[in-house]
Amino acid sequence: MARFKIPGVFVGMGVTLKYLFKKVPTVQYPVEKEVPVPRARGVIALDTDACTVCMLCARECPDWCIYIEGHKEEQPPSKPGGRARTRATLDRFDIDYALCMYCGICVEVCPFDALFWSPEYEYSEGDIGAMLHGKERLSEWLETVPDPPALES
Amino acid sequence: MTMDPRAAMHHSEVAVSVELQTPDMTLNLGPQHPSTHGVLRLVAQVDGERVESVEPVVGYMHRGYEKLAEVRTYPQITALVNRIDWTSGFANEIAFVVGAERLMGIEAPPRAQWIRLILTEMARMANHLVFVSSYPLELGATTPMFYALHERERVLDLIEGVTGGRFHPNFNRIGGVKPAAGGGSSQKKLAQDLPKGFIDETRFAMEKVFEICDTMDKLIVGNEIFRGRTIGVGVIPPDQALAYGVSGPNMRATGIDFDIRKVDDYLPYSEFDFDVPVGENGDCFDRYMMRLHEIRQSARIILQALDTLPSGPLQAKVPRIIKIPRGEIYVRSENPKGEMGYHIISEGGRGPYRLKVRTASFSNLSVLQWLLAGVLIPDIIAILGSLDFVLGDVDR
């Protein structure tokens, strides 16, 4: 006598029945939120004090979405009798997030630690032009930069 | 004798004696159709339910990566190339960085190579999990999609935990993985090794991946409707596969045992014990099963790689400004979709003189015209979906 074989359709329905009693893995977004990992590339934060207007980030950006302007400012000598020095000051630091492809090259090439990744992601806009964020907005995000995760030995 | 088919319908006694002459109809599928994985247009000439000829029209998603690469530096190109096939971003970068490293005469340190290998296999897993769940969706089964994508999210979370990006990791650098010391000196940039807990989480995720493969076996592989729609449909014989340059799981489904991971040494695959699944019939069902088996094999490789993960630096010594000496090289890799290769021609500058990208999906799709001639209309989607292509990979 041939052994009775359960049709595949019913085996599959057994699986769906099992899943029916499992915990739902999705979260309801505006009410509950997932926490992004510390390294998540959400938005680029800027430390305006550290930036020296060296333009490395703007030059290395693969789609040239960083706009920087600056000027030289005469600094009074730090000690009496010293020499006055010029210091580059940042006038404009804009990142066009409509163009940015979140590769992280700017953060990586910055030699003065002025750029950081923040996992912040809620900055969508209704208008594409409003995606251009200036240095004020970028430095606000600096507070959301997390500490680096501990490493696997 | 020809007559108006509508007239024949009204005179039933005539209809039995006359062979119905139906005019050929042009059926336009796409360019925006959910089953085309992007924007692919198929112009099919159909005679009743039978497809006479199909002409795939590609190019709607041409972004000109080969030309873009000519005006960019080598570090910028790794950010570009992982967008070619967005379902397996990490696997796209490998062949390019290995090619650039070979031209420069350097080699990534072992730990970097191991991390590359682990993440490449994760990308393969993520890609195949999309396929094994979205292909039943195209045939009308919606359930597997939700189950498999949950496990894929686990794998993507692991990739994101290491690289910072779910889809576009941009983690490979020429000479290793993301530099241990970035431009600056702060701790925030120093920390680019594997985050703590990665190994345990990966082991757990691999268990879940084995589980979802078994679930898929029960849920869809044994399903009579699924088997009826795929077994014996869209058969590619081995000689046609070779003639059209079909590669990857599509080629192995025809019975050709060839995997670039086994024959080339772009990553240390020779250190690991894994099987290459080979099919028999080359039909849609075999192509589906190839991917399902490959997920398990990738999980096996990752588990072995975690056990043997060497310690050491992540980056070889490379100059700050990367210039590649004059020369050319072709490096191929086993992308989840098939053979992906980069032909880099360098004139000694900071960027390539020419970068030719050989993508798997384009060659896999070129067999379509031959394959779809003579099939039934519902089988178009069944065959199309089984080839596992992404339009970004076709048009680049």
Side-chain angles (χ1 to χ4, degrees):
Chain A
M1 196 185 106
R3 204 168 60 88
F4 176 71
K5 198 172 164 293
I6 307 168
V9 177
F10 292 107
V11 176
M13 282 178 180
V15 175
T16 52
L17 191 71
K18 229 192 282 174
Y19 266 80
L20 192 64
F21 299 106
K22 278 195 179 180
K23 196 174 154 278
V24 180
T26 46
V27 292
Q28 300 300 319
Y29 166 59
V31 186
E32 32 181 340
K33 287 170 187 170
E34 284 187 335
V35 183
V37 291
R39 281 183 195 172
R41 298 201 292 259
V43 72
I44 298 163
L46 170 74
D47 185 355
T48 38
D49 299 333
C51 181
T52 60
V53 205
C54 70
M55 304 268 180
L56 260 181
C57 50
R59 210 168 48 190
E60 293 293 324
C61 177
D63 44 11
W64 307 297
C65 67
I66 305 178
Y67 310 99
I68 303 177
E69 277 165 28
H71 69 274
K72 291 264 187 337
E73 227 169 53
E74 194 93 347
Q75 294 281 101
S78 53
K79 288 180 282 195
R83 189 159 59 87
R85 289 168 196 277
T86 54
R87 189 174 176 277
T89 6
L90 193 62
D91 292 330
R92 177 186 180 214
F93 193 105
D94 291 352
I95 298 182
D96 191 349
Y97 282 103
L99 274 180
C100 177
M101 51 186 219
Y102 299 84
C103 63
I105 288 178
C106 51
V107 179
E108 214 171 279
V109 295
C110 179
F112 300 103
D113 274 350
L115 292 170
F116 298 93
W117 275 115
S118 155
E120 201 64 32
Y121 55 88
E122 288 173 315
Y123 54 97
S124 54
E125 300 282 349
D127 176 27
I128 197 165
M131 293 296 284
L132 184 82
H133 293 308
K135 62 177 181 182
E136 292 79 20
R137 187 86 197 271
L138 295 179
S139 35
E140 274 169 34
W141 277 313
L142 194 63
E143 286 166 24
T144 61
V145 175
D147 287 333
L151 296 185
E152 194 79 63
S153 53
Chain B
M1 177 193 158
T2 56
M3 76 179 288
D4 185 8
R6 270 169 303 179
M9 250 164 55
H10 293 296
H11 303 278
S12 53
E13 72 282 358
V14 184
V16 284
S17 62
V18 174
E19 207 174 295
L20 269 178
Q21 294 284 320
T22 47
D24 276 7
M25 190 180 81
T26 307
L27 179 71
N28 190 39
L29 187 76
Q32 286 174 345
H33 189 274
S35 71
T36 56
H37 305 257
V39 274
L40 170 72
R41 181 170 162 224
L42 294 176
V43 184
Q45 295 292 331
V46 291
D47 177 18
E49 276 290 291
R50 194 78 44 199
V51 176
E52 292 202 323
S53 68
V54 167
E55 196 191 340
V57 183
V58 299
Y60 289 97
M61 206 174 254
H62 180 66
R63 292 155 294 171
Y65 276 125
E66 294 181 4
K67 201 71 192 166
L68 285 176
E70 288 173 18
V71 289
R72 272 163 181 80
T73 61
Y74 291 103
Q76 291 176 342
I77 292 171
T78 53
L80 283 181
V81 293
N82 60 31
R83 278 151 172 86
I84 290 178
D85 169 9
W86 54 77
T87 51
S88 55
F90 196 89
N92 297 338
E93 300 171 11
I94 296 295
F96 176 75
V97 287
V98 170
E101 280 166 10
R102 285 190 185 161
L103 277 176
M104 288 176 80
I106 54 173
E107 203 180 42
R111 189 176 173 86
Q113 295 212 11
W114 251 251
I115 291 175
R116 276 182 189 176
L117 186 141
I118 291 171
L119 292 177
T120 311
E121 290 308 311
M122 280 187 182
R124 187 184 317 278
M125 230 179 236
N127 177 71
H128 286 352
L129 279 173
V130 173
F131 175 80
V132 297
S133 57
S134 73
Y135 182 52
L137 187 74
E138 277 152 23
L139 298 179
T142 42
T143 316
M145 190 86 189
F146 300 106
Y147 299 172
L149 283 203
H150 179 217
E151 305 309 322
R152 168 175 172 265
E153 204 57 35
R154 242 186 258 280
V155 176
L156 288 181
D157 280 349
L158 286 170
I159 296 179
E160 190 185 20
V162 179
T163 65
R166 285 168 77 240
F167 267 45
H168 306 305
N170 190 24
F171 195 58
N172 285 294
R173 298 290 179 274
I174 291 163
V177 291
K178 208 159 186 170
S185 55
S186 84
Q187 281 299 308
K188 286 192 171 105
K189 287 178 184 176
L190 276 171
Q192 288 296 351
D193 205 331
L194 298 174
K196 198 160 185 62
F198 173 80
I199 292 179
D200 294 335
E201 279 170 30
T202 311
R203 286 217 169 103
F204 177 71
M206 291 308 113
E207 265 173 44
K208 290 286 176 191
V209 163
F210 281 124
E211 256 174 49
I212 193 74
C213 287
D214 296 343
T215 309
M216 282 294 155
D217 262 340
K218 282 189 206 149
L219 192 64
I220 200 76
V221 175
N223 189 304
E224 284 79 11
I225 304 167
F226 180 76
R227 293 178 87 95
R229 295 259 347 237
T230 53
I231 292 179
V233 174
V235 178
I236 309 178
D239 56 327
Q240 286 294 335
L242 289 180
Y244 279 99
V246 174
S247 57
N250 290 335
M251 178 186 69
R252 288 194 284 278
T254 67
I256 302 168
D257 185 3
F258 178 77
D259 191 319
I260 299 168
R261 290 179 290 176
K262 288 278 188 193
V263 294
D264 276 14
D265 57 344
Y266 65 100
L267 280 178
Y269 280 108
S270 53
E271 310 272 325
F272 304 105
D273 174 35
F274 66 101
D275 302 325
V276 177
V278 177
E280 281 171 6
N281 308 318
D283 55 4
C284 293
F285 185 73
D286 271 12
R287 289 198 279 276
Y288 182 84
M289 291 310 285
M290 287 308 102
R291 270 84 181 215
L292 199 55
H293 289 319
E294 276 191 18
I295 298 174
R296 294 193 177 101
Q297 296 304 326
S298 294
R300 261 181 79 190
I301 296 173
I302 291 174
L303 288 177
Q304 290 174 46
L306 289 179
D307 290 334
T308 56
L309 189 66
S311 54
L314 290 172
Q315 181 87 1
K317 260 191 142 44
V318 282
R320 221 180 139 72
I321 290 174
I322 290 169
K323 282 188 177 174
I324 289 185
R326 183 182 288 265
E328 58 183 281
I329 196 167
Y330 177 74
V331 175
R332 58 186 182 169
S333 69
E334 184 75 25
N335 207 48
K337 295 188 167 61
E339 177 184 337
M340 179 158 204
Y342 292 93
H343 188 177
I344 309 169
I345 302 176
S346 174
E347 292 275 285
R350 292 182 66 192
Y353 173 74
R354 171 90 169 88
L355 180 72
K356 164 83 182 94
V357 189
R358 192 268 190 218
T359 53
S361 296
F362 183 73
S363 306
N364 289 355
L365 199 65
S366 64
V367 78
L368 204 64
Q369 205 161 7
W370 177 85
L371 197 54
L372 286 183
V375 301
L376 296 173
I377 289 178
D379 286 344
I380 294 181
I381 299 301
I383 293 169
L384 195 65
S386 75
L387 288 176
D388 187 22
F389 59 90
V390 147
L391 255 286
D393 205 24
V394 176
D395 294 341
R396 29 213 204 267

